[in-house]
Amino acid sequence: MAGQPTVLKRRRAPRVLFIGINYAPEPTGIAPYTAGMAQALAGRGWQVGVITTHPHYPWWKIQDGFGGWTRVEKQDRVDVTRLSHYVPRRHTMADRALSELTFGVRADFAHWQHPDAVVLVSPAMISSRMAAARAALSGIPTVVWVQDIYTLGARETGAVSRRAEAIAALERGLVRSADRVVVIHDRFRRVLREELSVTTPVDVVRNWSHVRTDDRGRDEVLRGELGWAADDIVVLHAGNIGAKQGLENVVHAAREADRRGSHVKFVLLGDGNQRPALEAMGGCARLQFLDPLPDGLFERALASADILLVNELPGLTEMAVPSKLTTYFATGLPVIAAVDSSSITHDEVCAAGAGPCVPAGDPGALVEAAERLAADPAAAHLFGESGRSFRDLHLDVEASVASFETTLKAAMASGRRAPVPALAASVSRGIGRIIHHGSIETAATHRPLAGGHRHP
């Protein structure tokens, strides 16, 4: 009517829901990236929710100050719902599957608050598959964010063929159910296309460097507090101590350094399910285990090392891109990669020019590479600066967030939906097969050797 003020209806900001088993304040693995992306999108005006668990990784126990059936909190403008789930003490495939299954049930019965899109974070494939079924039933667009490829993990860590086939079927079904898929490396996209025959649109969004150590230098006082002598050549491995890291190689390298009277000292900073077994192998003067350090102290320790190390189980080529590299490249320190020459990690370190690569499972070569770097400070400096330049050019957080936002908008506009009955059937079949065929982690742990915050 004339003279009446016009009332404009404000359009609601789009709401995205992340569902993943790991989230901050977990210091290692994929948790920092899920949290970082959720917080960055909230900063760009999205309404953001997260359904996750209580912090438990890499310790495999709920951390002090957390717990309870359900906990709702606000973190950096993100609505975080934490759900109690089964935290396994053993690491068989059956236990891992049960852990994901309990989280999947809890997540499917949680209040999603009507999102415009759902992001399913994998690893946590079983729970993601279950959430995909609910999203399809509800007509909600989905994006599957692939940080590791289970199918390759099964193959490369020695899983039997029937178990690997079951994992591949479940993973193939998950990525095919999505409106779009995000992977963290071009080689992941090739694997999904060529080995899993995925036709869903796949976007590459690189993980970014989320630790800033540019203003930090070597801290001699801290080195002394950590037990590092002035003439020690500290080779530091930071992050998860699990099966796929193959850190028996580092224990053998420390023994070799001790035998040679070398000044190389290997430091394993972190925790994980393989740490007790490595400690049980017996220590020596050239090997040190350090518990995870809090933010601030962690960065100081990292910058105070001489060389940073990424080590992988022999035979790993495609299954993962170590998140520690994004942190390592920020330090300006040289990196040694003890990995297979055909691996993604080898290609990444070479592309960055961040340091030498030596064969996986060759402790002698690892010691020699560290000694050569220590003997040539100019070369070590060039490696470190090259890694930092690669970080600046390729691992920028703003570029990653902008690409992810584009993917979300494309998924919301696509309108593609997966058939719910097929989703539900494949979930039940896949879970049953995986539990029946046992443990990928056990297979990896017993495979003979040739010789993952802000934290990585």
Side-chain angles (χ1 to χ4, degrees):
M1 295 177 62
Q4 293 279 336
T6 302
V7 178
L8 297 177
K9 185 176 181 180
R10 179 176 297 176
R11 186 177 180 182
R12 179 179 66 87
R15 180 172 183 82
V16 60
L17 175 66
F18 288 80
I19 300 177
I21 207 164
N22 301 109
Y23 196 75
E26 289 182 353
T28 190
I30 64 177
Y33 297 106
T34 304
M37 185 62 72
Q39 293 160 10
L41 289 172
R44 285 174 171 245
W46 290 69
Q47 296 183 45
V48 183
V50 172
I51 293 178
T52 187
T53 64
H54 297 290
H56 64 280
Y57 181 84
W59 316 276
W60 297 108
K61 62 180 181 179
I62 302 298
Q63 293 302 284
D64 292 342
F66 291 89
W69 186 244
T70 301
R71 171 175 171 153
V72 179
E73 58 193 49
K74 194 88 166 180
Q75 281 191 20
D76 297 305
R77 292 174 286 185
V78 176
D79 300 315
V80 180
T81 300
R82 299 188 183 277
L83 306 174
S84 178
H85 84 305
Y86 168 63
V87 179
R89 295 299 178 91
R90 300 182 307 161
H91 300 283
T92 66
M93 179 57 72
D95 282 300
R96 293 289 185 90
L98 182 58
S99 177
E100 290 193 18
L101 181 63
T102 58
F103 174 61
V105 171
R106 297 287 330 271
D108 262 7
F109 282 93
H111 182 31
W112 285 14
Q113 298 183 357
H114 311 292
D116 298 291
V118 173
V119 177
L120 306 173
V121 185
S122 182
M125 183 170 60
I126 292 172
S127 56
S128 293
R129 199 73 172 90
M130 296 169 69
R134 173 174 168 180
L137 184 64
S138 304
I140 304 171
T142 58
V143 173
V144 173
W145 190 2
V146 179
Q147 291 278 352
D148 285 341
I149 298 182
Y150 276 85
T151 302
L152 297 176
R155 186 180 67 201
E156 293 179 358
T157 55
V160 298
S161 59
R162 286 182 299 170
R163 191 187 314 140
E165 289 169 4
I167 291 169
L170 192 58
E171 189 158 41
R172 185 184 300 112
L174 173 62
V175 293
R176 285 180 174 178
S177 74
D179 292 270
R180 297 192 81 87
V181 177
V182 170
V183 295
I184 62 174
H185 200 278
D186 288 314
R187 281 175 62 170
F188 276 20
R189 176 161 56 186
R190 180 186 63 77
V191 169
L192 293 183
R193 293 271 190 248
E194 298 179 6
E195 299 195 28
L196 294 181
S197 303
V198 172
T199 58
T200 306
V202 180
D203 303 318
V204 178
V205 178
R206 296 295 303 267
N207 283 344
W208 55 94
S209 183
H210 50 78
V211 174
R212 310 300 296 189
T213 61
D214 300 37
D215 59 343
R216 299 180 185 276
R218 181 179 171 118
D219 187 329
E220 295 293 351
V221 174
L222 180 62
R223 282 177 64 99
E225 292 173 352
L226 294 175
W228 303 347
D231 60 351
D232 279 341
I233 305 166
V234 175
V235 180
L236 186 146
H237 177 283
N240 186 42
I241 302 178
K244 70 183 180 184
Q245 282 76 33
L247 293 171
E248 295 87 349
N249 181 53
V250 177
V251 176
H252 293 308
R255 292 174 179 169
E256 178 63 16
D258 197 33
R259 186 188 67 79
R260 296 183 183 193
S262 172
H263 289 290
V264 174
K265 181 171 187 172
F266 293 94
V267 177
L268 300 180
L269 169 59
D271 207 345
N273 60 51
Q274 293 302 302
R275 178 168 167 172
L278 296 177
E279 290 178 319
M281 291 175 66
C284 69
R286 299 288 92 195
L287 178 65
Q288 180 186 21
F289 290 87
L290 285 178
D291 292 336
L293 299 173
D295 290 343
L297 187 57
F298 168 78
E299 289 84 359
R300 288 173 57 202
L302 207 67
S304 298
D306 297 288
I307 300 164
L308 302 176
L309 172 65
V310 55
N311 192 92
E312 292 180 348
L313 191 72
L316 295 190
T317 60
E318 306 277 1
M319 72 173 287
V321 182
S323 59
K324 61 172 54 65
L325 289 180
T326 63
T327 299
Y328 283 3
F329 293 162
T331 64
L333 292 175
V335 177
I336 296 177
V339 299
D340 275 8
S341 60
S342 59
S343 68
I344 292 179
T345 304
H346 179 279
D347 288 357
E348 194 79 350
V349 172
C350 289
C357 295
V358 300
D362 189 336
L366 178 53
V367 174
E368 290 164 7
E371 290 177 335
R372 285 195 300 270
L373 280 175
D376 192 346
H381 177 75
L382 286 176
F383 280 134
E385 288 303 307
S386 181
R388 182 176 283 167
S389 296
F390 184 86
R391 182 275 313 264
D392 292 340
L393 288 172
H394 302 286
L395 305 176
D396 177 67
V397 61
E398 289 302 320
S400 296
V401 174
S403 295
F404 202 95
E405 189 174 31
T406 298
T407 294
L408 279 175
K409 291 176 179 178
M412 290 163 59
S414 68
R416 194 178 74 87
R417 300 288 179 266
V420 176
L423 274 172
S426 67
V427 170
S428 60
R429 287 197 303 268
I431 294 172
R433 288 174 182 169
I434 290 173
I435 293 175
H436 177 71
H437 291 308
S439 169
I440 181 176
E441 192 76 18
T442 301
T445 302
H446 292 92
R447 188 177 181 195
L449 291 173
H453 193 304
R454 285 144 271 246
H455 298 209

